[in-house]
Amino acid sequence: MKTSKRTRMRAVILSGLPLAGALLSTAASAQSSVTLYGIVDNAFTYSSNQKGHSNFYLSQGNLQASKFGLLGAEDLGGGTKAIFRLESGFNSLTGAQSSAGLIFNRQAYVGLSNDRYGTITLGRQYTPYFNMVGALGPTGVLTGATGAHPGDLDGLDTTLRFNNSITYASPNFAGLTFAAQYGLGGVPGSVANGSNFSAAMRYDYQSFSAAVGYVKLKDITTSQSLGSFADNSPVNNGYATASSSQMIAAAARYTHNDLMVGVNYSNVQYTPGSHSLFASEAVFNTYGAIATYRFTSNVTAGIGYSYTRASKANGIDDPAKYHQISLEQTYSLSKRTTLYALEAYQLARGKSLIASGSGVAIADSVAVVGDSQNTTPSSGPSQFVGMLGIRHAF
């Protein structure tokens, strides 16, 4: 029985469809990608003094914040890509969202990236100040839970984000990169009201890296573009009603074989407005040093010291002073799983302006280690925190 020519052609076409589908699938996967990533981090924790009592408890997000995210890119050709990131923080002890009502509280942005011209992104984002200076500062080496400067008042940990923001990041010019970010206030009739701004620059040359950054926060209590701000610690909650705040920070580090040493500095200013509960500008200066040493391929230890001093202002003649020392030891079971130990001690002296009821008051400064004890500060001048935990990345 003879087969018609049309039937034979149909058979050839049908037999080639699986191959064509495979080739199209390969081409599509080469041009675009979406990556699911995340971290789960829990630890046994001891604090010597939390509001007057010692405490042994489980804590989460210590070495790194517990989170999951989606990171995507589509190759548009000519060195240009469409990119996006959606990142959500969660409590890995209870499963609750880190920020109620915000499923992607950490980051949510979309943009375009070009190898030659740089990257533009729109959405909820970390500041260039954090991305560049924070990466070289205390929390870029030591964890923010116990290594951040007291109360993270300078935003070098992950507590500062801009909503409704546009960010430009440059390509790498022989080791030099820079970025600028503007958070739109969204106030009808005024572009400036409620807006925020950040800029930073970083330089890398062989084993040396340095960065400097700037942040200007306006209309702190009403701004629609200020995604989050650390004002819940007794270090700086007396200035939560500030009209504006300015942060300037710099950091540098040098690596030689298995040893890394670094220094960092930050200056934070709180400026009052007509509705503020304090009268004169307050300034905090912080000086820090960090070091790490890799003993073997899977064992590393780090140490950090910081000294923070407030200015004489708002009736305080003996301003707050904070000494903090932080230690970190990690043991990598694999590329994704790490056992860790963290220890930190802080000593506070002088007087602070603190939130008190519906107003503010002058009180003895109390210790608040890193960024993990903001809501559970010591009732006195000292606090020790120790942690033993496990972090798994996926």
Side-chain angles (χ1 to χ4, degrees), residues 267-346:
N267 173 278
V268 179
Q269 302 175 21
Y270 296 101
T271 303
S274 58
H275 299 290
S276 297
L277 297 178
F278 63 101
S280 57
E281 183 179 77
V283 180
F284 290 81
N285 286 291
T286 300
Y287 309 85
I290 53 176
T292 62
Y293 187 80
R294 185 177 61 183
F295 293 93
T296 68
S297 60
N298 56 354
V299 176
T300 302
I303 184 172
Y305 169 77
S306 66
Y307 171 67
T308 301
R309 181 182 177 90
S311 62
K312 293 182 179 181
N314 299 293
I316 300 177
D317 294 324
D318 180 21
K321 296 171 282 291
Y322 303 88
H323 297 270
Q324 179 175 287
I325 185 167
S326 307
L327 303 172
E328 176 182 301
Q329 307 88 45
T330 60
Y331 178 79
S332 299
L333 298 175
S334 68
K335 290 183 178 180
R336 296 182 179 273
T337 303
T338 301
L339 301 177
Y340 63 85
L342 306 172
E343 307 88 21
Y345 176 80
Q346 187 182 116

Side-chain angles (χ1 to χ4, degrees), residues 92-141:
S92 51
L93 295 175
T94 67
Q97 292 180 337
S98 293
S99 302
L102 297 175
I103 184 171
F104 296 115
N105 67 306
R106 297 180 65 85
Q107 299 182 81
Y109 64 77
V110 65
L112 295 174
S113 176
N114 182 275
D115 296 338
R116 183 176 179 181
Y117 299 110
T119 301
I120 294 180
T121 49
L122 309 172
R124 179 182 175 93
Q125 306 169 74
Y126 289 116
T127 62
Y129 169 92
F130 165 73
N131 286 332
M132 293 189 175
V133 184
L136 299 179
T139 61
V141 178

